[in-house]
Amino acid sequence: MTLPQLSWVRQPAFQDAALACGLLAVCLAVNNPVAVLRAVGADPVISGLGGAAIAWGWWTATGFALVGVALRRRWPPAMLGVCTAAAVVHVAVLSVVPTVVDLSAVVLLATVASRLPRPVSLAALAGMLVVVAGWCLDGARVGRPVNGLPTFSVEVVHHLGPPRGTDDDTVVNQAESSNVWSGLALLGSVLVAAWAIGSGARSRREYLHQLHVRAVDLERERDQRAALAVAAERGRISREMHDVVAHGLSLIVIQAQGADAALDNRPADSRAALRAIVKTGRDSLADMRRVLAALGEVEDAWHPQPGLEQLPGLLDQVRQAGTTVRLRVEGTPAALPSAVDLSAYRIVQEALTNVMKHVGAGASADVVVCYSDTEVGVEIGDDGPAVNGHRGDGGNGLRGMTRRVQLLGGEFGAGPRPGGGFLVRARLPIQERRS
């Protein structure tokens, strides 16, 4: 039989029913209740009830105790009361020696301590201790020990007569007494131990639950961080793809228009434009492969990322497309962090792409790169009005540049210039140079 077919064995109801049957089996084997009940019914000093009444009463109380154990997890307080009442009927009413079945009250006390709040379980423990104390007090009042529990006996003997060693020793008095309160100490210790076991199980279960909740929270936080990281990476890749594709396609479109216009009258110019288209397409594909390499889509990730050192090549491409570009460098060029270097290059690339897209042929642009000890700044300005739409409408290009600068903690601005044209300005912080 496979393990899934035995899953019912792990059900709490089956385990509790098995515990009840186990208590009854051990009681029948160890205590021999049939013989005990016959002896109690035949002794008129112990009980004034008949033997049949005692037997029926004991078995009825035992049945309720076993039902209480079987249903202990469903209604713990109620079943604790049932088992306690059954034990009281066994010992106090019927004057029967405590048996294994009477341990049902102890089992239910541990169950209450394990499943209910501590104030409730402490109240249950106090109530059961009161019952035990009342039982012992009743035995002390009538001067008899608690039936079925160990007692302490003390015997006192007085001697009168000649010195010890002679044959004339006479016993004057002999007394014997029993400590009936020993039952309170024994039963009280058992009840307190049962409560402590149940309370410890509850504390351990709560601790494990807290660990589980914390593990779930940490897993959820990990998933959220992973999702945010994925979103940030997607945004970065999207910006890179936009910059690469938009710039390359803009150059290709402009060169293709020039080649088409010069095809009939200036074949050499058309051939040069076609060569430029081929070179631009290859460069764009190489840039795209570098971007995709960051996602693990291709293995060609060994090419260096572009930076401000590659600006002359970028400006040559723009000039070949028919846009005049001038470059001015202020300050002393120095090595920049890779993220800053790449972002500055992409900002210049996107700004020049916007010039070619929105201004058209015949436009001119100025690129200024400013180096300082704490930051690098780039400014891209043109001198023509927008003829293919408004450049300040929050398109993907401007949003991408803004996002790049924000991630690096810099400053970004874009808008029309007072004298005409459009100006893009970005300042990116860098670490202070070491002398």
Side-chain angles (χ1 to χ4, degrees), residues 20-300:
C21 295
L23 287 178
L24 179 60
V26 174
C27 177
L28 295 176
V30 174
N31 299 124
N32 192 9
V34 176
V36 172
L37 293 176
R38 187 181 296 113
V40 173
D43 190 354
V45 178
I46 297 179
S47 176
L49 301 175
I54 292 177
W56 277 103
W58 189 90
W59 284 108
T60 302
T62 298
F64 277 103
L66 296 178
V67 170
V69 173
L71 301 178
R72 65 189 183 95
R73 301 194 206 192
R74 182 170 298 183
W75 301 295
M79 295 302 102
L80 174 62
V82 170
C83 292
T84 303
V88 170
V89 170
H90 284 167
V91 180
V93 178
L94 302 179
S95 299
V96 180
V97 176
T99 62
V100 175
V101 174
D102 296 317
L103 292 177
S104 60
V106 179
V107 173
L108 263 295
L109 178 61
T111 303
V112 169
S114 174
R115 303 181 69 85
L116 297 180
R118 182 160 295 178
V120 177
S121 63
L122 285 175
L125 174 63
M128 296 187 70
L129 290 176
V130 169
V131 172
V132 173
W135 179 31
C136 294
L137 179 62
D138 180 69
R141 180 179 59 82
V142 298
R144 61 175 174 81
V146 178
N147 190 19
L149 296 180
T151 59
F152 299 96
S153 298
V154 179
E155 186 176 66
V156 180
V157 180
H158 297 279
H159 300 274
L160 295 177
R164 182 175 300 176
T166 64
D167 296 334
D168 297 327
D169 294 343
T170 303
V171 178
V172 175
N173 187 18
Q174 182 175 356
E176 182 177 349
S177 62
S178 299
N179 182 11
V180 297
W181 291 100
S182 61
L184 177 60
L186 177 60
L187 293 179
S189 300
V190 173
L191 295 177
V192 171
W195 178 87
I197 293 174
S199 180
R202 174 181 173 83
S203 299
R204 181 177 181 274
R205 188 169 59 252
E206 291 179 349
Y207 175 70
L208 293 178
H209 176 70
Q210 292 177 358
L211 290 180
H212 176 71
V213 171
R214 179 172 177 80
V216 171
D217 292 340
L218 290 176
E219 184 177 358
R220 185 184 301 111
E221 182 180 356
R222 182 201 63 190
D223 294 340
Q224 291 175 350
R225 288 182 177 178
L228 292 176
V230 169
E233 185 66 12
R234 285 179 178 175
R236 186 183 72 83
I237 298 300
S238 176
R239 292 189 298 273
E240 289 288 325
M241 291 293 293
H242 175 271
D243 294 343
V244 170
V245 174
H247 178 74
L249 290 181
S250 297
L251 289 176
I252 290 174
V253 169
I254 293 174
Q255 294 284 359
Q257 291 175 344
D260 180 67
L263 181 59
D264 296 332
N265 300 325
R266 299 188 306 275
D269 293 341
S270 298
R271 187 175 292 106
L274 292 175
R275 293 195 186 99
I277 290 174
V278 172
K279 183 178 184 302
T280 302
R282 289 175 177 174
D283 293 341
S284 298
L285 286 176
D287 290 339
M288 189 178 300
R289 287 177 62 85
R290 284 195 293 268
V291 172
L292 294 178
L295 290 178
E297 299 292 336
V298 297
E299 298 180 354
D300 187 14

